[in-house]
Each structure stands twice: as structure tokens, then as C-alpha cells.
Amino acid sequence: FVRAGYPALLVGAALAIGGLVLLPALTRQAPLPAFRQTDMLIQWEGAPGTSGAAMNRVIEQASRELEGIQGVRNVGSHVGRAITGDTVVGINGGELWISLDPAADYNATVAAVREVQSDQEGALAVYTDGAARAEDPLALQLRAGELLLRLGRAPEAQTLLEEAVRLNPRAPEAHIGLALSHIAQADDLRALRFEWARSALQTALQLDPNSAAAYSAQGDLMMAYDRAREAADSFLKALDVRASQSDDTAIRVRLADAYAASGQWEPALQEYQRVAVANPDDLGLQMSLANAYHQAGRQPQALQEYQRIAQIAPDYPFAYIKQGELLDETGTALQPDPFQLFRTEVLPCTP
């Protein structure tokens, strides 16, 4: 029995060894192609009890963000269960259907979609994998560095962006990204970080004297080091040199913050009002305006703005929280009726 099985063991061992020898050759090329699906489905689910209005607002915001991604061809969506749907879905559920342009950069587009979906780790994996494979990885390195900064992983972002600068010393955007990684670590080696960031931005501006991104990052640097007036000057310069006039919201919000930080409330309020009017659906910007009124000591206007936000979004809790804080702070006896927002007015019928 033993003798009869011995040749079989040898053959098995030989096959195993042969398999190990062949394995590197087999793994050099995947047996199946990597399919690139251009139609994607994102499923959203809010917490139980989330209202239809809140879900609609979230889905609409996500749709706008997705439509703004270069490489996304069109976006469709729905909230809740379709009338003839075959699945049970609550009002707190929604879906987004996304169609990608086949000619677009697939890795970058999918990663940007993942960011909107808040799958940031997945987006980061797509960026880094794509950068490792791409002939020109700069764009993907910059996106990965930006995402790492948002994830609070500034040292990793710095390492990645230093490599981007080494490979692309003439690319101003690489120097800007590196400067932002230093700004994110301003609490560590504070004096050195300031000089490193400023040097990187000076290089970027030498390469492109009309870089709005460089001046904006310069403003961020000054804000991180409590130099708000200099920050405001940099943000104003960024507005002066930017190539497109279409969307300057991000710069104007930071300009308003710089004015507020330096106690210049009139220009601060003007900028907050400008961005709030231009973005009526952005509750964060509406709250920024209300908070600015509050900080400027204009309590009546602040209360009016908080109440207006509560009317726009009745299920937005922060509007009520800030109203309560303001009323408690001022000792005002008049308190808004929280049920007023949910009452309906019965009008007489006209024959």
C-alpha cells in the first residue's frame, strides 16, 4: 500500500512544484480583462424616521455634486418606493443612477463618485492604484493628496506630494498641494512649517503668477498663523486673478472668514450675504451668515436668519439650537413657537 502510493506522491509533489514555477508567469497577466462598468448605482439610506423632505434635499445635493464631476454623463434619482416597485423601501431610502462617459478618465471619475458617496477610503484606493499604473500620475496624486488631507492624514499626504514635486518640479499645482500639507501640520514644527509652506507657494507663483489656487493657499497659510488681515489680502488677490468668474464661493467664504477674524464685520457680512444669496440651498452658508450676524452683535438679524432657515428646512436641528442659544444669551422673553412651522392655515372657500 505504501509502495503503491509513493509514485503518486512524487507526481503530486512534482505538479505542486510545477505549479509554483508557473505561478509567477500566470500572475503576470490576469486571465480575465478588468471590466470598466460605465453604469453605476448608489443606494442611500437615512436613519429611521428621516423625512421625505430631508431625503429629497440630500439626494438633490448629491445629484448636483455628481453632475459636476468631469466624466459623469448623466444622473437619475428617486426617493422612496416607486408606485409599481417590486421591493419594499421606506421614505428614508433613495437611489442614484450614474452614467459615465466612456472617453473620460475612468479611475479619476470613479474615485470622484466614491467621494460624493462618502466612500473616501475606496476613493483613495482608486486614486493610489491609478497613480501607480498611469504614465502621468500627477492628477491622481494630487487628488489622493487632497483626500488624505481631508481624512486627517497629513504626513502621508506630505510624502505623496513631495514625490509629486520631485517628478513634476515645473507643475505649480504640485507645489501648492505640498504647501497645503504643511499648513495642515501647522501645530507641529510651527515656525518651520510656515517657511516650508511659504517657500512652496512662492515657487508655485513663480511658475504661474496668476494662480488663484496659490493665492488662496497663501490665504489659508496666513489664517493658520493668525494673520487674518494678510489672509484677506491674499484671498482678494485670488479673486482678482482667477480664470473663471462662475464659481468663486469657496474663496469668498474664506475671505469672509478672514474679515470676521480680523474684526472687519461690514465687509465680512457683505461677503457672507453674497454667497448665501448665490447658494440658497446650501444650509451651511445660510448658517454662516446667521452666525456672522450673531458674532457682530446684530442679534435681531441673527434671530431672523435662524428662523428663516428653520422655515426653509423644518427638520434642520441646528437652526433651532442656535435660536435657543441666542434667546438664552439675550434673555429675550419672546420665544419662537416650534410647532408654528408645522401648522396649516385653513382658508375659507370662495364660491
Side-chain angles (χ1 to χ4, degrees), residues 93-350:
E95 291 184 340
L96 287 162
W97 296 277
I98 305 161
S99 179
L100 307 183
D101 183 352
D105 185 325
Y106 185 80
N107 285 330
T109 305
V110 170
V113 169
R114 284 180 177 271
E115 285 190 56
V116 173
Q117 190 188 0
S118 296
D119 182 9
Q120 296 182 321
E121 291 293 343
L124 182 60
V126 174
Y127 285 142
T128 52
D129 181 65
R133 298 169 183 267
E135 292 184 7
D136 183 7
L138 178 59
L140 291 169
Q141 287 176 321
L142 293 175
R143 294 297 295 271
E146 179 184 348
L147 185 51
L148 282 168
L149 289 176
R150 290 209 300 272
L151 291 171
R153 294 158 62 177
E156 294 175 65
Q158 178 187 336
T159 300
L160 179 68
L161 293 164
E162 284 174 342
E163 177 67 7
V165 168
R166 187 185 69 80
L167 295 174
N168 301 272
R170 302 291 301 171
E173 59 270 30
H175 294 278
I176 295 169
L178 180 57
L180 291 173
S181 75
H182 286 303
I183 295 170
Q185 302 174 79
D187 291 336
D188 176 40
L189 303 175
R190 189 168 176 79
L192 288 174
R193 293 285 181 196
F194 181 85
E195 293 302 327
W196 291 337
R198 184 166 64 174
S199 176
L201 292 173
Q202 287 173 344
T203 301
L205 287 169
Q206 288 171 359
L207 294 168
D208 182 4
N210 293 317
S211 172
Y215 283 113
S216 183
Q218 195 173 72
D220 293 336
L221 174 62
M222 296 304 170
M223 285 293 287
Y225 283 80
D226 302 320
R227 297 163 67 166
R229 288 186 178 272
E230 293 173 76
D233 291 340
S234 294
F235 291 132
L236 284 171
K237 185 65 176 178
L239 290 172
D240 288 340
V241 302
R242 71 195 187 285
S244 173
Q245 305 284 327
S246 59
D247 187 9
D248 55 10
T249 298
I251 300 176
R252 288 197 178 279
V253 169
R254 280 132 83 190
L255 173 60
D257 290 342
Y259 281 140
S262 59
Q264 302 178 75
W265 288 109
E266 286 304 323
L269 288 168
Q270 289 176 8
E271 293 299 335
Y272 284 128
Q273 288 167 349
R274 184 197 296 261
V275 296
V277 169
N279 301 271
D281 297 327
D282 192 321
L283 295 180
L285 293 179
Q286 309 306 314
M287 287 294 289
S288 293
L289 173 59
N291 292 337
Y293 277 127
H294 188 183
Q295 293 171 3
R298 301 186 181 184
Q299 282 79 6
Q301 292 96 325
L303 181 60
Q304 183 179 0
E305 287 299 315
Y306 291 135
Q307 291 174 333
R308 184 180 65 83
I309 295 167
Q311 291 174 352
I312 295 172
D315 53 359
Y316 187 63
F318 296 105
Y320 300 102
I321 293 172
K322 297 301 289 186
Q323 284 184 59
E325 290 178 353
L326 181 57
L327 292 168
D328 181 61
E329 175 186 314
T330 58
T332 305
L334 296 175
Q335 299 186 9
D337 182 358
F339 297 101
Q340 182 180 2
L341 300 173
F342 301 98
R343 290 176 181 153
T344 56
E345 184 178 6
V346 179
L347 300 176
C349 295
T350 303

Side-chain angles (χ1 to χ4, degrees), residues 20-81:
L20 291 173
V21 172
L22 289 173
L23 183 60
L26 290 174
T27 55
R28 288 194 191 102
Q29 184 173 1
L32 294 174
F35 294 103
R36 295 193 164 192
Q37 180 59 258
T38 57
D39 294 316
M40 304 175 66
L41 169 64
I42 297 178
Q43 295 179 319
W44 295 74
E45 184 175 355
T50 302
S51 69
M55 284 300 299
N56 283 328
R57 200 163 55 245
V58 170
I59 292 294
E60 288 172 7
Q61 177 67 24
S63 296
R64 284 194 296 270
E65 292 181 18
L66 290 166
E67 289 169 352
I69 295 173
Q70 185 175 2
V72 170
R73 188 162 51 187
N74 51 60
V75 179
S77 65
H78 84 261
V79 173
R81 180 179 182 270

